[in-house]
Amino acid sequence: YQIVDKVIVIKLAKAEKKEKTVTQSVEEQVLSVSGRVTDKGGNPLPGVNVIIQATMKGTTTDADGKYLIETPPNTTLIFSFVGFTRKEIAVNNRKEINVSLLEEIAELKEVTVNAGYYTVKEKERTGSISKVNAAEIEKQPVQNVLSALQANVAGLDITQQTGVPGGSFKVLIRGQNSIASGNDPLYIIDGVPFSSTSLSPVNNSSFPLFLKGTSPLNSIDPANIESIEILKDADATAIYGSRGANGVILITTKKGRAGKTKVDLNFYSGIGNLTRYMDLLNSEQYMEMRNEAFTNDGKTPGSSDYDLNGLWDNTRYTDWQKVLLGNTAKSNDIQLSVSGGSDLTQFSVGGGYHRETTVFPGNGADQRISTHLSLINTSPDQKFRINAVVNYSVNFSNLINRDLTTEALTLAPVAPAIYNEDGTLNWEPTSSGKGSWTNPLAYLEGRYDATTNSFLGNVDASYRLLPDLVLKTSIGYTNTGMKGVRTAPKSMYDPYYTTYSYYSTFFQNNIQNWIIEPQLNYELHITNQQTLSVLAGATFMNQEQQSTNQSASGFPNEALMENIGSASTITTTSDFNQYYYRALFGRLNYTIKQRYIFNLTGRRDGSSRFGPGKQYANFGALGAAWIFSEEPFVKNHLSFLSFGKLRASYGTSGNDQIGNYQYLDTYSTTANNTYQGNSAMNPDRLFNADYAWEINKKFEVAVDLGFLKDRIFLQAGYYKNLSSSQLVSYALSPVTGFSSILSNLPATVQNTGVEIELNTTNFMLKNFKWETSFNVSIPRNKLVDFPNLESNSSYNSTLIIGEPLNIRKLYHYTGVDPQTGLYTFLDVDNSGTYNSTDRTIIKDFGRKFFGGLLNTFQYKGFQLDMMFQFVKQDGYNYVASGAPGMIIQNQPAIVLNRWKNPGDITDIQRYSKDSGDPWKAYMRMQDSDRVLTDASYIRLKNLSLTYTFSEENVRKLHLQGLSLYIQGQNLLTITNYQGLDPETGKTTLPPLRLITGGIRITL
């Protein structure tokens, strides 16, 4: 037996050695794998990336979709191509592998949306989340991404405030919740909160009006954005607590993808002009108006009536709209990016330059230089993942420091020439030497230079502790700073004022913010039919804002006005404030049979903006969805219904957008307030220990329906939001020494509405495809409750219980008196005087409904996109722009239909110079329903025509992709609005008509 044992042992040893040798041989073996990649129709797909998993090795398919790759026999090949779903296939010693890839956009319900702290498929979401992707953004030649979102999302109301580059936008998600506090949504960029507070020197009256409220989102290059999600209801926003009270806008920038490194180059250039001009009086009509005004009143022109007393040449004619607003704005944009990587590491790096001018005179421009970097790395065992993102931009602006729209509409057509014969500014002096007008181009003599630096960085690291347990931490930082100077040299003013000294204003404003959010994610598969997902985390955020404004004068000469060290007198004001925010949050998601879905979200918020004992509050939400199309009876009997889901949510959130330190008692000092030679302090605000959160309760019910394999996809929902415990200024008795105190009142604001989104694929043929997207929002806003509103509130003149917040109380216009020629109004109590009781007309200036319609046509290499925006609203018309004949000011041509003689029936009162009854009637008219007009409009918001060269032609040029395109913005506006533009109003530069042409190249 011993011999036998030895023999057995020897054989085993040899077998182990032989097995080891065989194993090593297999690992070193390499197969030549070939195949063909096609789409679902069998058409070859050239340029598909074929990568060996966990390596950097790979190849791409040729013109016929064929590939050849050397790979180990037991590895996995990854097939990826832009616009198609990625596919992983195990080799398993096969030498031929043919693959068919599906388009990513094949089914809308399979699209993954970002909810901030988690992602969810469209079909599985219980909350109200809308998504706009990069393909929709890049069709529009815009500087600010908010402009690209207009008319794209139901419930998202965006109004452009001015057509000046860098101007602000008003953004509301499902209406105005607060009477006096902030109503802006929360912006999150790559997981980091981004402040919507403008850095312009808004508190300095010497700065141009159009720059007040400059949009901070100008620093974000639209070309760097991959997708934008808009979170609206309680289920979607509750995890953000108080910060999400007014909705959340999540912006995700572009990331690299595994595959061959590619270089993308995009360039466009274009021109912009005013969309339309107002019909104003010419010189002859203007002089007739002015002379008739004096004749009607039996008066003669005085020394200051320069257009009538012979100082001005009343035969001159200047179309000031063409002079001041008729220039051509130019826009240029170039983007360059490099992206690629392997399965374990992906990268994207790029930069861009954008320059845009205005239609105003001068050579000023708004410019932006931006950079973007994204790096994603995953460990070979798939347990550790890190995602780092950096966005940095610099904006330069040296635009003219005034919006000249008002001057263009009101300057008399007989006003003097702008320049003297020697090229200097003409002030058309009177006999005393004093100028007779303000030359509009004098503003070009002063300089306005502002530079904005914006940095945003985020590191997102996660580690899989267990197969179903992931620990994640997000660390973000933003720093946005604006600094600049505005000069006011002597040449900017009438030379008559010889004692006027040079002065400059230097300003600097900075907001920095850091945030740390540790999170724990756990997913438990209870059974094959039940899944429980748990998310828990915390938020630690700190924000600091500081500003400095310096007024300097006494410069030796104009050349030194931008050097503050050359000034003899400097006055400085500064401000600094901090904001701390802490929170704990959690979310439970429970799914049964992939058709019954329940969400429970909770958050405890802490804010430094409230008094002791009031800084913390609890918020939460419950969401549920039933995918009834997965039920057997639907599948068996309703085959035309490809998808059906009912969802509902209810929850609460808070609001602390009230500014810092508002609950404290504050004091101020002034130079004139002294006591015994020492500075004294004045009390400004009373301490309020009960100052606490506004509360917002949200409810929504909605249905999602897909028909004919989702070729028709409908989403419709109803929401009701109640915002209570309103933070308002509450009137106090004068005996307290204060006029008001900031306090929580049990006032309640209600927002309700219906939102409908419809996506259809109308035709889908081999070479032709037609798709339509439609959305409409019907919002309703109402003040439900406000205790003692009429008797003890400063809001009693502007608010009414049961009416919207943005109403106006107006006199009722009853026509022009045929005998006197003056405007008349309803005198409710026949008292002969007019007061608040006579303001019987309640007019809502909010939007009745709004939305958009997008049609996309594809034929071979051509793609045509047409986006229409529509809005139903009321606004102020141009009748309120001035008192005809009263002063030296041009008027709309409609005033020609004025009252002339007793018995005339018209709706324009007589021309008059009288500051008595005619002036009072005119001023009362401005507060009446006479100045209201239908400001509804339909606008061809965007038109884009793109031609993409075929793969065969592109390969001949040794490129991966090539496209040519023409894009237009604000091309056509259909409206009955009596004014310059129905969106921005009658005295602000409207959005320009912009036409651009460009090229996209992929190397």
Side-chain angles (χ1 to χ4, degrees), residues 33-37 50 59-61 65-69 77 79 97:
V33 180
S34 62
R36 191 166 181 259
V37 182
V50 185
T59 186
T60 58
T61 57
K66 297 180 179 180
Y67 71 93
L68 175 65
I69 191 170
L77 294 180
F79 298 82
I97 300 176

Side-chain angles (χ1 to χ4, degrees), residues 236-441:
T237 62
I239 199 166
Y240 287 95
S242 62
R243 297 180 300 160
N246 299 313
V248 183
I249 296 180
L250 302 176
I251 299 176
T252 304
T253 56
K254 292 181 178 178
K255 308 293 188 294
R257 294 186 178 184
K260 183 179 178 181
T261 299
K262 66 174 184 176
V263 179
D264 291 302
L265 175 65
N266 183 29
F267 169 78
Y268 71 77
S269 181
I271 58 174
N273 299 99
L274 210 62
T275 57
R276 65 176 188 167
Y277 296 91
M278 283 184 59
D279 186 13
L280 304 177
L281 300 179
N282 59 32
S283 296
E284 181 181 353
Q285 295 165 337
Y286 170 83
M287 293 305 300
E288 179 184 2
M289 174 188 69
R290 287 281 286 162
N291 282 309
E292 187 176 316
F294 280 87
T295 301
N296 286 342
D297 297 332
K299 296 183 178 181
T300 57
S303 59
S304 61
D305 296 310
Y306 310 119
D307 54 345
L308 298 174
N309 62 17
L311 182 63
W312 291 3
D313 180 2
N314 56 29
T315 63
R316 282 183 53 84
Y317 173 69
T318 303
D319 187 341
W320 290 109
Q321 292 185 90
K322 295 293 180 65
V323 172
L324 301 180
L325 308 178
N327 293 298
T328 298
K330 297 179 180 179
S331 179
N332 293 283
D333 189 280
I334 185 169
Q335 305 288 332
L336 178 66
S337 66
V338 182
S339 62
S342 66
D343 254 12
L344 298 180
T345 303
Q346 301 92 46
F347 71 92
S348 175
V349 59
Y353 172 74
H354 182 90
R355 185 178 189 273
E356 194 168 345
T357 65
T358 76
V359 293
F360 299 140
N363 299 316
D366 188 272
Q367 303 175 78
R368 178 183 60 221
I369 299 174
S370 60
T371 59
H372 169 72
L373 171 65
S374 170
L375 181 63
I376 303 174
N377 181 258
T378 306
S379 62
D381 61 5
Q382 304 292 311
K383 288 186 176 182
F384 179 75
R385 186 177 186 273
I386 187 169
N387 177 14
V389 179
V390 173
N391 289 283
Y392 179 74
S393 67
V394 183
N395 285 68
F396 307 94
S397 179
N398 63 344
L399 298 167
I400 181 174
N401 56 29
R402 185 176 177 88
D403 185 336
L404 297 176
T405 305
T406 298
E407 285 80 357
L409 300 179
T410 59
L411 276 175
V414 297
I418 293 177
Y419 297 104
N420 295 310
E421 292 183 359
D422 60 0
T424 59
L425 289 177
N426 175 28
W427 296 93
E428 201 68 27
T430 62
S431 57
S432 66
K434 179 181 177 181
S436 60
W437 75 316
T438 299
N439 194 312
L441 294 196

